[in-house]
Amino acid sequence: MQVDTNKFSWFQVPEDVKELLILAAQTWENTAESEKYMQQAVAKTGENTDVLVAAYRYFYYKNNYSLALQTTRQLLDKIKEAEKFPDDWEQLQPILISRKENPNIRLYLNAYSASGLVLAKLGDIEQAKIISTRVKEIDNKNDFGAGILLDILTRPPEEDD
């Protein structure tokens, strides 16, 4: 299948990886086939943040939450290593607050918030609440959606009339 990779010029990845991503999109209706292409793209460039974000979105919208979570964790680990983040949240939080306008930090917060959403989908409500609370404390503009997720997760059940 001939694929025009020029229409996705913002991805800074080799042409063969762009082709795999395009094939995953073109074969969307055939989950087994499209997932094969996405997995190959991640395997070839697992360190590329654009590919990891694309893979997260792909797996999320395919309702494959375990792979969406795995991909998000890869992205978080990559940024954590590049930025030399501490493991402890109490030490990490002030760094994220002071640098939250930095593109890499915004991507980290976005991915962290997304991991909370996926955990909620997987039924780990308590961990999703912890993550949503943490991101909301940093994100006073609600750029990352954590406040909305937290509101949904902590909303009292509606009473039946």
Side-chain angles (χ1 to χ4, degrees), residues 1-111:
M1 180 181 286
Q2 189 63 22
V3 177
D4 177 17
T5 58
N6 291 328
K7 63 183 178 180
F8 295 103
S9 60
W10 66 90
F11 273 85
Q12 299 301 313
V13 294
E15 293 300 310
D16 62 330
V17 174
K18 285 183 190 180
E19 187 170 323
L20 289 168
L21 294 171
I22 292 167
L23 288 169
Q26 289 176 342
T27 59
W28 177 263
E29 298 301 320
N30 181 343
T31 299
E33 187 176 352
S34 68
E35 187 171 306
K36 175 185 71 173
Y37 293 128
M38 185 57 70
Q39 294 273 21
Q40 288 174 4
V42 170
K44 283 186 173 222
T45 62
E47 295 300 306
N48 184 286
T49 56
D50 287 333
V51 174
L52 289 172
V53 169
Y56 161 78
R57 290 177 177 158
Y58 170 86
F59 293 126
Y60 180 83
Y61 288 112
K62 279 294 193 178
N63 300 316
N64 189 337
Y65 301 124
S66 59
L67 280 178
L69 183 61
Q70 178 184 325
T71 305
T72 304
R73 287 182 173 156
Q74 280 181 268
L75 182 57
L76 290 168
D77 289 345
K78 178 182 174 11
I79 297 168
K80 181 180 175 184
E81 183 180 321
E83 298 291 331
K84 298 182 181 14
F85 286 159
D87 290 329
D88 180 61
W89 178 256
E90 300 305 317
Q91 293 174 336
L92 178 58
Q93 184 181 25
I95 295 167
L96 297 175
I97 290 170
S98 68
R99 297 181 54 209
K100 69 181 174 185
E101 296 306 321
N102 174 290
N104 226 21
I105 305 306
R106 292 185 66 77
L107 180 59
Y108 184 88
L109 289 167
N110 215 345

